[in-house]
Amino acid sequence: MSTPQSGILPEANTDATFLVLLLQNDQKSLQTARQFSGSFPSLVDGLAAKYPDSKLSATLSFGSRAWKMLFKDQSYPQELAPFKSQRDGERLAPGTPGDILVHIRSDRKDINFELSRMVMAKLEDSALLEEEVSGFRYLESRDITGFVDGTENPERDNRAAVALVPEGQPLAGGSYIQCQRYIHNMPAWESCPVHHQEQVIGRSKQDNVEFSSEEKAPIAHIKRVSLKEDGKSLEILRHSMPYGDSQEHGLFFISYCHAARHFDLMLEEMIHADGDGHYDHLMNFTQAVTGNAFFAPSRDFLETL
C-alpha cells in the first residue's frame, strides 16, 4: 500500500510555510533537485523526531514543467497541467510561475523556519525562490474576514479518500494540489454590515452555523463551491492559512485532492457568472494574485529516486 507524504492528511497546525520555487534547466540543477527530492522524506523525519512537540510534517510537489524535466522515466500524473487562469469581467484568477512547492506545517514557527533553511541549502542554486509565505492560525481558526475557515473539510478516513489517488491507479498515494494567494480588501469588507457578510459567506459569523439551502443566497461562497456530480459531492481537502502583516494580508489557499478537476470546477463557479448573473460575491472583497498547480507523489515514489 502506498504511503502518502506526511503533510497531506494531518489536521490543521498553528503555522505553515509555503515555498514556491522555479527549477533551473541545466543538468547539474536537475540532478541536484532530483537528489533532494529523494532525500526529502528523511529530512523531514529527522527534524520532526528532534522536535516531536512541533508536530512537523511537510509535502513536496511538482508542477507539470518540473515533472517532465525531473521524472522523464516515471509515469506522468494524468490530470497535472499548468494552472488554468480564469477571468470574467473584473474577476480574475491568474496563473503564475512555479515549478516546485514545499508545504511545511507544524505548531512551531521556528521549526518551519529551520526546515525552510535546510531545504534551500540542499537545493543550492538548482531552484530559485519565487515566493515564500508564512501562514498562521488566526483567532479561532478563522480567516481574516472573521469567518471560520475549512468547515467543509472531510473528516477522519474520508480525508484520505478525498485527498489521495486510490490504490490500483497509477501514482497511488499521490495528490493533486492547487494553491492561490489572495489579498483581502479589508476596508471594503469591514464596511459591510455583518448580516451582509453572512449572506456573502453562507454562514453565521459568530456562531459558525451554516445557513439552510433555502436561506443561502445564490451568490454565497458556500453555495457556489458546494458541487455535486451524479449525486455525489465533489470534495477537496483544504489546508489554507491566513498570512500577512498590518499592510497586506489575506489567505494562502491550498487544496489537496485525488483529482485536479474538483478545484477547477469550484473556481469556475466562483469566478464566472451563471445565466442569472450570479457569481461568488466573496470575489468582490478579495483578489487572487497567484495560481499554481502541482502533484505531490507518494513517499514511496520519492524514496525510490
Side-chain angles (χ1 to χ4, degrees), residues 7-273:
I8 300 178
L9 296 181
E11 296 287 344
N13 295 99
T14 60
D15 294 275
T17 300
F18 305 93
L19 306 176
V20 179
L21 303 152
L22 297 178
L23 183 61
Q24 299 288 79
N25 190 12
D26 62 82
Q27 194 58 42
K28 181 182 178 182
S29 293
L30 297 179
Q31 182 177 4
T32 299
R34 188 175 168 110
Q35 290 174 343
F36 159 76
S37 301
S39 67
F40 183 75
S42 61
L43 188 71
V44 177
D45 288 350
L47 193 59
K50 189 174 181 180
Y51 300 100
D53 65 303
S54 69
K55 299 180 182 177
L56 175 69
S57 63
T59 306
L60 177 66
S61 58
F62 307 90
S64 58
R65 175 178 176 268
W67 192 281
K68 293 171 183 176
M69 293 163 67
L70 291 172
F71 310 127
K72 295 178 181 179
D73 55 338
Q74 305 285 348
S75 298
Y76 186 83
Q78 186 176 2
E79 294 188 37
L80 180 60
F83 188 93
K84 185 169 72 173
S85 178
Q86 299 194 42
R87 176 190 285 275
D88 188 351
E90 296 182 353
R91 297 181 299 281
L92 172 66
T96 52
D99 291 321
I100 297 173
L101 172 69
V102 183
H103 177 192
I104 302 170
R105 308 172 46 194
S106 82
D107 290 345
R108 287 182 54 174
K109 186 175 181 179
D110 59 333
I111 302 305
N112 289 1
F113 170 74
E114 281 299 296
L115 184 54
S116 298
R117 287 202 314 143
M118 295 165 70
V119 165
M120 296 309 297
K122 288 276 189 182
L123 282 169
E124 299 175 340
D125 295 326
S126 65
L128 305 179
L129 185 64
E130 174 70 11
E131 182 170 61
E132 179 173 354
V133 178
S134 293
F136 53 85
R137 180 178 292 169
Y138 179 64
L139 303 179
E140 304 92 358
S141 298
R142 295 176 184 265
D143 178 54
I144 294 174
T145 59
F147 284 79
V148 175
D149 194 30
T151 54
E152 300 297 312
N153 259 351
E155 298 179 352
R156 296 181 290 277
D157 292 346
N158 197 36
R159 294 170 75 85
V162 168
L164 303 178
V165 175
E167 294 298 322
Q169 293 190 15
L171 298 170
S175 188
Y176 292 92
I177 298 174
Q178 276 87 9
C179 56
Q180 299 172 283
R181 182 167 65 84
Y182 283 88
I183 299 175
H184 293 344
N185 184 345
M186 290 306 294
W189 179 253
E190 291 173 338
S191 70
C192 293
V194 171
H195 71 85
H196 178 69
Q197 295 178 5
E198 292 175 334
Q199 288 298 309
V200 169
I201 299 297
R203 306 183 75 91
S204 64
K205 188 171 186 178
Q206 183 62 37
D207 301 330
N208 188 35
V209 177
E210 183 173 347
F211 295 166
S212 67
S213 297
E214 295 75 20
E215 294 175 310
K216 283 178 194 165
I219 53 82
H221 175 66
I222 291 176
K223 192 174 187 70
R224 301 301 299 179
V225 299
S226 295
L227 305 180
K228 290 188 176 182
E229 192 172 69
D230 299 326
K232 186 176 181 180
S233 294
L234 299 181
E235 297 183 87
I236 56 175
L237 177 59
R238 298 168 176 84
H239 284 307
S240 308
M241 295 287 277
Y243 78 93
D245 54 33
S246 62
Q247 299 302 305
E248 181 180 285
H249 34 260
L251 183 74
F252 193 99
F253 171 89
I254 180 167
S255 70
Y256 288 76
C257 191
H258 65 272
R261 60 188 297 272
H262 289 200
F263 167 82
D264 291 338
L265 292 171
M266 291 179 187
L267 187 60
E268 287 178 9
E269 289 294 317
M270 292 168 64
I271 297 293
H272 295 281

Side-chain angles (χ1 to χ4, degrees), residues 291-304:
N292 295 109
F294 303 98
F295 183 79
S298 68
R299 179 185 178 114
D300 312 77
F301 179 99
L302 294 177
E303 291 178 336
T304 60

